[in-house]
Amino acid sequence: MFFRMIEKERLPDLIRGLSTEFEVVGPVAKGDKFVFAPIDDPADMRLDYDTTILPPKKWFFPPEETMMRFRVADNEVVDDEVYAPPRVLFGLHPCDINSLQLMDNVFFGAYIDPYYRARRENTLIVGLSCVPSETCFCNAWGTDEAHWGFDIFLSDVGDEYFASIRSVSGAELVDRHVKTREITDNDTRRFQERTAAFKAAFENHVDTSQLPLLIDAKFESPIWDQLGEKCLACGACSMVCPTCYCYDVHDELEPDQTMGRRVRTWDSCQFKDFAAVAHGQNFRDSRASRIKYRYYHKQWGYLSKFERVLCVGCGRCSRACKAGINPVKVIEALQTGVVS
Amino acid sequence: MAPRVVVLSLASDFGCQVQITNTEDHLLTILGLIELSYWQLASSGHMPDEYDVAIVEGAVTTDEHAHLLRDVRGKAAVVIAIGACATIGGIPALAGSGSLADRYATVYGDGVIVPAVRRAPAPVDSVIHVDYHVPGCPIDQSEFLRVLSRVLLGLVDHTPDMTMCGSCKIAENVCFFDSGVGCLGLVTRAGCGAKCPSLGRPCTGCRGIAPDANVVSALEVFERAGGGADALRSALDVYNTASEVHV
Amino acid sequence: MGGVPRSTIAPGDRTSAGVNPYRPWPARITSIIDLTPQEKLFELRLIDEGARAAFDFDSGQFVELSIFGVGEAPISISSAPSKQGFIELCVRNAGDVTGALHRKQCGDVVGLRGPFGRGFPFEEMKGHDVLLVAGGLGIAPLKSLINHIHDDRHDFGNVTILYGARSPAEILFRYQFDGWKHRDDFDLILTVDHPDDTWEGDVGLVTRLFDKIEVDPANAFGAICGPPVMYKYVIAEMRKKDMDVDRIYVSFERRMKCGVGKCGHCGVGHQYTCIDGPVFNYWEAMNLQEAI
Amino acid sequence: MANLTVEHVARIEGHGNISVSVEEGVVRDIQMDVVEPARFFESMVVGRRFEDAPLITSRICGICSPNHALTSIKAVEAALGVEVSERTRLLRTLLVYGSYLQNHATHLYVFAAPDFVGLPNIFPLAQTHPDVVGRALKIKKLGNELCNLVGGRSVHPVTAVVGGFTSEPSSRDLSAMRARLRDIVGDALATVDLFASFKVPDFDTAGEMLALTSPTEYAIYDGDVTALDAGWTRPAADYHDTLRESIVGHSNAKHSTVGGRPFLVGAVARMNLNAQRLGARGRDALEASGLVLPTRNPFHTHVCQAVELVDAAERCAGYIDRLIGSDGSSEPVAVDVSAGTGAGATEAPRGTLYHSYSIGDDGLITKGDVITPTAQNLANLEADMRAFAPTVADRPREEFVLLIEELVRSYDPCLSCAVH
Ligand SMILES: Cc1cc2nc3c(=O)[nH]c(=O)nc-3n(C[C@H](O)[C@H](O)[C@H](O)COP(=O)(O)OP(=O)(O)OC[C@H]3O[C@@H](n4cnc5c(N)ncnc54)[C@H](O)[C@@H]3O)c2cc1C
Ligand code: SF4
Ligand code: SF4
Ligand code: SF4
């Protein structure tokens, strides 16, 4: 990795430069919230955003995507190519950068998902430092820092960005499109100060000690029933979660019924039919069992395979859940036995 | 052999039938897959004695409607209910609360006698078994085409059972509750892609209460941030008067 | 995905980067046998010769059967790995895909992906006694194992098969089992819940049959497949016979959309049925919350 | 000929029967029985919040729902004293025109055209005259898409609410729409040619004709009511004083009269009263059609609707110019709730539509009233049937029935609207 300083005023140069080679996607305002959207004008980019409604996963694993097109008559695939335009995701916070690595474990792994892979390989990531909001708790998982998984990372140190450059492409792009200078000792000191201030700014301090064991041990706890009573079973938490990857697959025929497409769409383990099988059997019929499964899988199921918890503390689910259920509360309930 | 299809309407505004004609790009293709035996809105001709598929729009508001439906059920292998009126009672059912005589008086003046055949408005499946449902007020063309495709393939009805908020998130809408406005998406059956919230308007519940909805918890949410529990109850009346809500 | 010529890679290839694991391989239905009103036995052959030659599986593994326009369903392979060039699927008409398959005819083309998952530990079982317990459609994957053992019979000790069905008419593969009734290298006991006039065999739950059998706990492997409610009771019987928890194997059915560990539907406890199972040993299963 | 009934007249919106009573070979009476059961919209809105009125009453009719929604909104706004922006008015006008394009195309090609070519429906024409069917679907689709663009949905628009719009189309989408509107003018002109070429019965109605008029434009979204024969012009809001509604035994729909006379609303009335305010292309089309105004022939509805298609396409492109050129807002304006009563009127594709409401201090509706174009037309339609039937009574029974049906269809009636 190497480092450069970029004057804030010059950042639009970089964005404009990237736009000549890539589709640039960054945070823009939607009402009083933010979303990641293609950027036409660098001025639209809201680098002061707290978090977005949907995480960046939609740029790799869209809410709905055609896996293949087929012909009914002979049951043949006519096309399963993935179109993945060269793209830059600009302004990702550390939690989101980390979330993509958790997704990678799933979509690469034993069988490689060609759709996810094509987009992942064609997308550069430009990270951006942030300020914790009242829903953030990435500090609990160590996902408040991104050490890899980006091409360029911009840390805001006042009138300049302290840019960490991870990849060859990142280095070339910085060289090509924006004026930079070498870092000095003073710059690294400013960087350290920023980091310390950031860490000190968290309101949430979640005790995650022995959480995987705790959640396994408390499988029969009444807290799950209490949470199940509140849960709206709407699946909003899963949709907004940068680390939720479950999907459904269905076929859709064109009106003439001769050709069609196999489509995958985001799904949620909070939906009642998620674990239903034929003959009326449903392995997770109750809301309580489903909400329990969501946490069980995130805190222990995934961890049992990849040694990481499947949550980056981005707080999106806390914002999305109208019933007021969120990991901070659930972890607290696991520890105290009381749902607040 | 192409299935013989009839299109019928009970108490409705014909909007869902209009939506079928609004599949312009595909209308002729669809008509090529079926044998259209009766469609009063679009074609002259009489209701035939034999047919395979009956598409029914509208709520049941008279005994004649009920008789017609029983007759249809006896003849058709497949019955498809389209639209809020047919699937949940919809807006016609809003007239189901209170006294019919008063409503006659309001509309026609005092002294008008309620015809004996009138009944409280109700969805089609309150009278006969319905094989496929296309909810919504009006129906969405592409959903109708999907259901029709399932009918032609002999697949089972597959109306989504979850509520709207998941798809609303996918549409990246700012939730109405965040600004203290109630939205029925919390309890309404998904499948429209959260059409109304995406257009800046809270969901009005035209697809009916989702089987998986947690109405009790939704009431609390309305109490906290959506204009009170009564706002939920009153909003639900618009389309869902004929539905039993377990609160 | 483009790039790799399709016939040089096996359908179940996990590693080749050019393979789209979701893309079904066309397979022709070469025979259909009506077993019961709800179940049919389909013989399928992959159309691509290279793929057919490379198709290799273990008993207990499954394929994703694909009918475009309808969808996919995970189905256990019923034939034995020792029989090459085709596979058999014993399928109950339970909904969309299975229903559409039931409407297909000999010569029609469907799609296959797989084989997927972890099957029974055939090699480990060698040299041991094997006790196989099936309930209803659970015989489908076990039949693959039974036939495989049959083809390698001298490598195994005592082989006992307990199979319970609802009624005599619902006994699957009866033509084969009737033929085996009098063999002395297989102990086969059939039971039904609802006997008819012709039924001379046992009546009642499959667990009842445990009184009739001898098990050498030091030597025996168990394999169970059936409806979810069955496992607890059968395992209890096996434990009564002192069989080792890690020599009892169970095969689970869960909802699945991908078969390759991504879609999340088949989660059972902290594992996925599709890649970690569907066959688990009982020690693993005991550690899977909500599994049994 | 004996008494006869035609049950569930085809290719009209809603359920209605025609009954003809014949005595000694002479047509004695002829009635339009509207069998559509009452749906009580006027009573359903009572007790509900004013915002719900457009949502609920737009379900009176799925064919011209944008009109019901907007008329209801206008009535609520009148009751509460809400003033909307110019931009909102422009968008609303576009929405009405979207409904015109789709309704007229449907009425002309799907409902009426089969009569002229002797077919039960339009679909067989897809094989023999693909250009005609293609044109029909193209115009209809553009109408729907204009509604989708502005209203979010063509049947029961979503975005139009009391005070403004909850969401607006982007300029990019608007200019794409403008290009397509310009492109459709040719198809609309071809429609005028086609319907001008069809021979229609020579028949004049005796009824009065009413339509909204405005000094500045071909009145669609707003205007006063003008009577062609009587010559007066009155505020639309006074419709209670102008129109008399009465209940008739054989029909679930009420009948209306003006000054004791039945009257006609719809394209013929509009054209008679507004032709001088057609746009350039519309005027050319009217001239090319050979139609001489004023006309009293209800069968001329078709040509008048076709001319309106041309005018709509041209006019909408102009409205879009204005929208793109100005930067006002259509965001719903804040509403101060205080008790009031108000009425609204628009020209629906089938004629003038009125809504009125009384609203209490609590924002709840205490009274609602709706008069639909078809309800206004029914009395005149029956009078026309009575006058027309004897002139064709000598025809073979089937032809006789068809001609009566054609007269009914020329009114483009919407019976479920009429019984609301
Ligand atoms: C590892 C494995 C092996 C199996 N082996 C066999 C076999 O050998 N023979 C056999 O007949 N069946 C087998 N099944 C069950 C079979 O997969 C289901 O019956 C089938 O998926 C139903 O699909 P469908 O499209 O026909 O029904 P659908 O119309 O999709 O569904 C009918 C019902 O099944 C549920 N369902 C949907 N998808 C699945 C799914 N993927 N898995 C389970 N239930 C689902 C639905 O909730 C619904 O209630 C196996 C299942 C698994 C997981
Ligand atoms: S579980 Fe919640 S906090 Fe954790 S990553 Fe998902 S959305 Fe963010
Ligand atoms: S706006 Fe409505 S549908 Fe959307 S998330 Fe909020 S409650 Fe759900
Ligand atoms: S958002 Fe609600 S009201 Fe709107 S279409 Fe969907 S279900 Fe109907």
Side-chain angles (χ1 to χ4, degrees), chain C residues 45-76:
Chain C
R45 283 169 201 270
L46 287 165
I47 290 173
D48 185 294
E49 276 175 33
R52 190 162 71 229
F55 193 94
D56 196 12
F57 67 95
D58 297 330
S59 299
Q61 282 196 293
F62 65 96
V63 292
E64 283 283 349
L65 177 102
S66 177
I67 298 180
F68 280 125
V70 183
E72 291 193 309
I75 305 288
S76 306

Side-chain angles (χ1 to χ4, degrees), chain A residues 137 141 237 240-243 294 298 310-318 327:
Chain A
F137 62 104
W141 309 126
C237 53
V240 303
C241 177
T243 64
R294 181 163 194 270
K298 283 189 171 296
L310 191 63
C311 170
V312 292
C314 70
R316 285 188 179 87
C317 57
S318 319

Side-chain angles (χ1 to χ4, degrees), chain B residues 36 42-44, chain D residues 11 110 114 117 119-125:
Chain B
L36 184 65
S43 178
S44 305
Chain D
R11 285 183 276 121
V110 182
V117 293
L119 286 171
N121 59 52
I122 188 193
F123 310 124
L125 281 185

